[in-house]
Amino acid sequence: MEIQKVGVVGAGQMGSGIAHVFSLAGYDVLLNDVSADNLDKAQALISANLDRQVSRDKITESQKNDALGRITTTLKLPDLGQSDLVIEAATERETIKTAIFEDLQPHLLPHTILTSNTSSISITRLASRTDRPEKFMGFHFMNPVPIMQLVELIRGIATDAQTFDACLKVVEKLGKTSATAEDFPAFIVNRILMPMINEAIYTLYEGVGSVKSIDTSMKLGANHPMGPLELADFIGLDTCLAIMNVLHDGLADTKYRPCPLLTKYVEAGWLGRKTDRGFYDYRGDVPVPTR
């Protein structure tokens, strides 16, 4: 099946990035969100990021204009039913994702492939709540989408070969690299990354090191481009906690127990960059550690 029309659910950081790369690769993109303000912000962000690519000679002005012309927006979820491929990029909560697929289902074309950008939730379980588990799989992009080269492809227990092959071809057309993961909690990247971040938070919680010393140690001692606490703020502490809870619940191993300090920050609403405070305070000219 030739995929031409792509529907993206959710116009946040991930959804806007996904719309960006698909439109630039020549796909017609319909971007949906429950908020008109979010859709306006997404279009402005996509335009700014395309401008940045033009300024760095990654793309031409003509390519930018063509990409922007391929993106349309809608507040009505059923409008995405005419897509060949739907990518759900909503909040990392299973109840929300399930509700989206259930609301979308009556409007889908028979051949439409459903995918989720979930970073941790069971693909098999999400697929089982639809009328097409064989045409459902995980399509996990990394943040920021226009820059990161990896896409995790996750098959549920019912995903058929045609669906997997179609999504694999899409990844190739996007100019990205795929990694195939089995449908276990958090897949590959977050199964490895999140426990490291969680352990860094435990290191802070137990007073082994300060925010600055922990991040400096991993940047200079392990050659990481960002420290783990800085990275957690970038990802969003609520997302980090959600993934750790999925790992803890799904694998029933105490080594995945979320650090109480991570829970406390989320309870305070200090979620990282998106709220201007997390392990760093971003309200000034320079980020300042909060501990």
Side-chain angles (χ1 to χ4, degrees):
M1 187 190 74
E2 186 68 26
I3 292 173
Q4 295 178 321
K5 296 180 180 179
V6 178
V8 179
V9 184
Q13 193 171 29
M14 294 303 295
S16 61
I18 291 167
H20 173 144
V21 298
F22 270 88
S23 65
L24 200 54
Y27 294 97
D28 293 323
V29 178
L30 182 57
L31 181 60
N32 162 260
D33 200 278
V34 294
S35 163
D37 187 45
N38 285 352
L39 290 172
D40 290 341
K41 288 178 180 177
Q43 287 181 302
L45 178 62
I46 293 167
S47 182
N49 286 337
L50 287 167
D51 281 336
R52 189 175 293 112
Q53 287 180 300
V54 171
S55 69
R56 294 175 180 173
D57 294 325
K58 300 288 186 182
I59 62 172
T60 65
E61 187 75 24
S62 176
Q63 286 175 307
K64 181 200 86 170
N65 293 331
D66 288 345
L68 288 172
R70 294 188 193 103
I71 300 173
T72 53
T73 62
T74 180
L75 291 167
K76 300 176 182 177
L77 185 64
D79 290 349
L80 272 62
Q82 298 303 301
S83 305
D84 302 313
L85 169 68
V86 173
I87 304 169
E88 171 273 313
T91 305
E92 189 70 355
R93 293 182 192 166
E94 187 167 344
T95 53
I96 291 174
K97 294 179 184 296
T98 298
I100 287 169
F101 289 123
E102 288 179 348
D103 289 348
L104 190 55
Q105 188 169 292
H107 310 283
L108 297 173
L109 296 170
H111 69 266
T112 301
I113 293 173
L114 294 177
T115 67
S116 175
N117 185 56
T118 178
S119 52
S120 62
I121 298 169
S122 168
I123 298 302
T124 297
R125 197 163 61 238
L126 288 174
S128 72
R129 303 295 294 273
T130 74
D131 66 343
R132 59 194 68 204
E134 72 285 351
K135 292 186 180 299
F136 193 110
M137 64 182 294
F139 213 172
H140 182 213
F141 290 83
M142 307 296 128
N143 186 32
V145 181
I147 295 172
M148 301 296 279
Q149 287 300 302
L150 183 71
V151 181
E152 281 184 317
L153 294 178
I154 306 103
R155 277 181 282 213
I157 196 169
T159 306
D160 62 27
Q162 291 86 352
T163 298
F164 178 81
D165 290 345
C167 289
L168 183 62
K169 288 177 183 176
V170 168
V171 174
E172 292 170 353
K173 187 173 177 180
L174 294 177
K176 295 190 180 293
T177 300
S178 64
T180 305
E182 293 301 317
D183 187 22
F184 287 94
F187 319 129
I188 295 173
V189 172
N190 283 316
R191 172 76 176 264
I192 297 167
L193 176 64
M194 284 302 159
M196 185 200 75
I197 288 175
N198 195 52
E199 194 63 28
I201 300 169
Y202 266 114
T203 306
L204 177 65
Y205 177 61
E206 294 168 3
V208 179
S210 65
V211 168
K212 184 177 180 181
S213 62
I214 291 166
D215 278 351
T216 300
S217 294
M218 293 308 292
K219 284 192 282 189
L220 301 184
N223 205 27
H224 289 189
M226 295 172 70
L229 301 176
E230 183 185 4
L231 179 57
D233 275 358
F234 180 74
I235 294 168
L237 302 192
D238 52 340
T239 300
C240 293
L241 180 58
I243 295 170
M244 287 309 302
N245 281 326
V246 167
L247 281 166
H248 192 228
D249 295 343
L251 298 172
D253 192 324
T254 55
K255 72 179 181 180
Y256 299 114
R257 183 172 71 97
C259 179
L261 185 60
L262 173 60
T263 302
K264 191 63 65 182
Y265 268 70
V266 173
E267 287 174 345
W270 292 18
L271 308 181
R273 285 184 175 271
K274 61 187 172 185
T275 59
D276 288 331
R277 276 193 292 188
F279 292 111
Y280 292 86
D281 188 326
Y282 300 93
R283 292 174 296 176
D285 294 333
V286 178
V288 178
T290 54
R291 290 179 81 87

